[in-house]
Amino acid sequence: MSDEPILVIKDNDSTIGIRARIGDEFSEHEIQLNVILAYYWDNGLPVIENIIGLFESSLKRTINDVIPHENLFLKYNLITDDEISKASRFEIHLKEVKADNQSLRLDGKILALKGLTSKEEYSKGILDKINILSSNNGSDNEEDWRESDSRVEKLVEKTIPTEKKISFKDFAREQRLRNGK
């Protein structure tokens, strides 16, 4: 086994799998899309922004299980078919992931979802699965929205700090102080 840290992103019709491995040690978490999307739709929440936030926090938690770190640096391209609040499709193309300046090798570095505006659209074409774009496996009749005029691409670079773990007692004390009680 290699001691090089590896991050693997896998998706299927109902989950996004995130796995971090270094040597024999690994951690894996899954995002259950059906449950998460139903919650967002039923509560009128912005779907893509929340999925991206959940994806980033799941990356942080998974990597932290095998490489404890203070800051996680993420660099990725976010591609949507419209401005983010109106988009029904998006892709995250991971470019770089570092845990306290330790780079992780990326396998399965593209996450692509479509049909996110409604339950009906999602059930028609559940997941547009694209792993590594090393070959063009799509049919000629399939719409390639990544090259259409409605493509919106944004480079995202962010550092996600590790939140300090505190006891419930200390948390309650902080809340009382914050609320002036």
Side-chain angles (χ1 to χ4, degrees):
M1 283 276 153
S2 169
D3 284 340
E4 177 186 27
I6 300 171
L7 177 66
V8 179
I9 309 299
K10 291 188 177 186
D11 53 23
N12 62 38
D13 290 349
S14 61
T15 63
I16 300 169
I18 302 166
R19 183 176 187 168
R21 179 174 55 90
I22 185 166
D24 291 334
E25 193 173 341
F26 74 93
S27 177
E28 187 169 20
H29 292 95
E30 286 188 342
I31 298 172
Q32 299 294 325
L33 287 174
N34 294 339
V35 174
I36 295 299
L37 289 173
Y39 177 78
Y40 294 156
W41 290 324
D42 289 347
N43 291 289
L45 298 172
V47 174
I48 292 178
E49 295 97 321
N50 283 313
I51 288 178
I52 292 169
L54 180 60
F55 178 70
E56 290 173 350
S57 67
S58 295
L59 281 175
K60 172 86 172 152
R61 183 179 69 207
T62 305
I63 294 168
N64 199 47
D65 287 347
V66 293
I67 307 172
H69 60 276
E70 290 296 319
N71 294 301
L72 181 69
F73 174 76
L74 297 177
K75 182 177 180 180
Y76 60 86
N77 282 336
L78 175 63
I79 303 169
T80 60
D81 62 344
D82 203 342
E83 63 183 70
I84 199 162
S85 62
K86 297 177 184 175
S88 65
R89 300 175 179 193
F90 81 96
E91 291 183 4
I92 293 175
H93 294 239
L94 288 172
K95 301 286 185 190
E96 185 177 5
V97 177
K98 290 183 181 178
D100 286 342
N101 295 318
Q102 183 174 14
S103 293
L104 283 86
R105 188 178 89 203
L106 304 174
D107 285 344
K109 54 189 166 184
I110 296 175
L111 172 67
L113 302 174
K114 70 176 182 178
L116 300 176
T117 53
S118 70
K119 295 174 189 174
E120 295 78 25
E121 190 175 321
Y122 179 72
S123 63
K124 283 182 198 171
I126 296 177
L127 199 59
D128 185 14
K129 184 179 179 187
I130 301 174
N131 281 327
I132 299 173
L133 292 177
S134 58
S135 63
N136 186 4
N137 296 340
S139 68
D140 292 335
N141 298 334
E142 191 175 309
E143 173 193 10
D144 188 0
W145 65 274
R146 290 180 306 269
E147 295 179 10
S148 69
D149 292 336
S150 62
R151 174 182 164 149
V152 178
E153 187 168 344
K154 176 182 174 184
L155 178 65
V156 178
E157 291 186 30
K158 63 172 42 175
T159 301
I160 305 171
T162 299
E163 292 183 15
K164 176 180 86 172
K165 292 184 180 181
I166 61 173
S167 69
F168 180 74
K169 188 176 184 179
D170 291 338
F171 173 75
R173 183 181 315 121
E174 284 183 15
Q175 292 300 312
R176 283 194 303 273
L177 290 173
R178 196 172 286 149
N179 294 329
K181 293 182 180 180

